[in-house]
Amino acid sequence: LVSKSDPAITDTDCDGLSDGREIDIGTDPCLADTDGDGLSDSSQASWIVVATNGLARWIDTSSLTNRTVLWTEFDHQSSRLDAPVPFRLFGHSLSNLAVNANGVARWTGQRRTLSSGGNWNDTADGLPVVSDPCVTVAGFWDDLFADPSTTSSVSVALAETNGVRTSVVEFLRAGFYEGTTNDKVSFQIQFSDTETNTVHVVFAEASGLGTGSSATLGFRSSCGSSAEYSFNEDGAVFPGLAITYHVGA
């Protein structure tokens, strides 16, 4: 027995977090509200799940009819659009999506601009948020770049499988402003209409600077929560990496 939790029950305190997850993040698996503030641990805690064989999560968007290409050449651009699937955050439906060319996406309740993210050498705590409910995700926050000589693109798509609708923000074969042709990264930021407070980032390609040596990966929310997978860490990113962020309060 660990913390007197019941080994025959996955979630001893029935708060929506497994006992193993609670031990990992430091909450009490026997108390649904560890800090006694009236909010369940599952609604407050932020955590990251990492899979090294996550390519099965990659969605081929090339043939999807509900796909909008934002840019095929880019350097600091930003776009605002309606999210194909609203991001559900603590009972709020965030239907306004903003994407910038430096690998960051943000969902808000109201339509707002998102800066180009020029300060890419910052931690997840430096990600831009606004006062109304929002979550900002650094899929791969760096000085990304593409010119007409490449086959790069940034797009937003809607995929549907077995009734589950998934929104996909895709950076395909993105290069780097100060990089070479050997520096590339391809990733998708995904979330579905069956999940709450949850977003996935999946990598299909990572080489040179694309392995994370000058990038920030993480999230920040208007609730005051943030979590970081890596910051300027060479080798942190690789093909098949899948990161799941749970946004806590």
Side-chain angles (χ1 to χ4, degrees):
L1 294 177
V2 179
S3 300
K4 297 183 180 179
S5 61
D6 188 340
I9 301 175
T10 302
D11 181 8
T12 298
D13 56 11
C14 300
D15 64 354
L17 290 175
S18 70
D19 291 353
R21 176 80 64 211
E22 296 217 49
I23 292 169
D24 286 342
I25 64 179
T27 54
D28 191 331
C30 297
L31 290 175
D33 179 12
T34 297
D35 58 6
D37 65 353
L39 298 173
S40 69
D41 293 340
S42 62
S43 69
Q44 289 187 285
S46 297
W47 68 83
I48 300 173
V49 178
V50 177
T52 58
N53 57 347
L55 272 181
R57 284 204 65 96
W58 184 268
I59 297 173
D60 182 4
T61 66
S62 60
S63 60
L64 296 178
T65 56
N66 293 315
R67 178 174 183 259
T68 300
V69 177
L70 301 181
W71 317 293
T72 55
E73 51 183 292
F74 49 88
D75 182 25
H76 297 297
Q77 289 98 322
S78 293
S79 286
R80 296 180 302 169
L81 63 158
D82 294 332
V85 175
F87 189 99
R88 297 194 298 171
L89 181 70
F90 299 111
H92 299 282
S93 183
L94 310 183
S95 59
N96 294 287
L97 170 63
V99 181
N100 78 46
N102 284 335
V104 179
R106 183 174 70 193
W107 293 264
T108 55
Q110 302 178 37
R111 187 173 290 273
R112 293 178 178 269
T113 59
L114 177 60
S115 67
S116 63
N119 187 20
W120 47 82
N121 189 27
D122 204 348
T123 65
D125 285 336
L127 285 166
V129 294
V130 293
S131 58
D132 56 296
C134 85
V135 59
T136 305
V137 176
F140 190 96
W141 192 15
D142 207 330
D143 192 5
L144 301 182
F145 174 82
D147 61 38
S149 66
T150 67
T151 55
S152 308
S153 65
V154 179
S155 63
V156 177
L158 172 63
E160 186 168 353
T161 304
N162 298 324
V164 177
R165 300 167 71 242
T166 302
S167 180
V168 183
V169 180
E170 180 180 80
F171 285 72
L172 196 61
R173 292 181 291 276
F176 295 77
Y177 185 75
E178 296 185 351
T180 69
T181 55
N182 295 321
D183 301 307
K184 294 290 180 185
V185 65
S186 294
F187 62 95
Q188 293 178 342
I189 304 172
Q190 308 173 355
F191 63 96
S192 73
D193 60 1
T194 60
E195 297 178 299
T196 299
N197 301 3
T198 303
V199 61
H200 310 274
V201 183
V202 186
F203 291 84
E205 178 183 19
S207 60
L209 291 173
T211 64
S213 60
S214 57
T216 301
L217 282 71
F219 77 84
R220 185 183 175 202
S221 80
S222 57
C223 305
S225 61
S226 65
E228 193 171 83
Y229 167 74
S230 66
F231 171 64
N232 293 356
E233 183 180 342
D234 189 23
V237 178
F238 47 86
L241 171 67
I243 309 167
T244 296
Y245 298 108
H246 181 85
V247 182

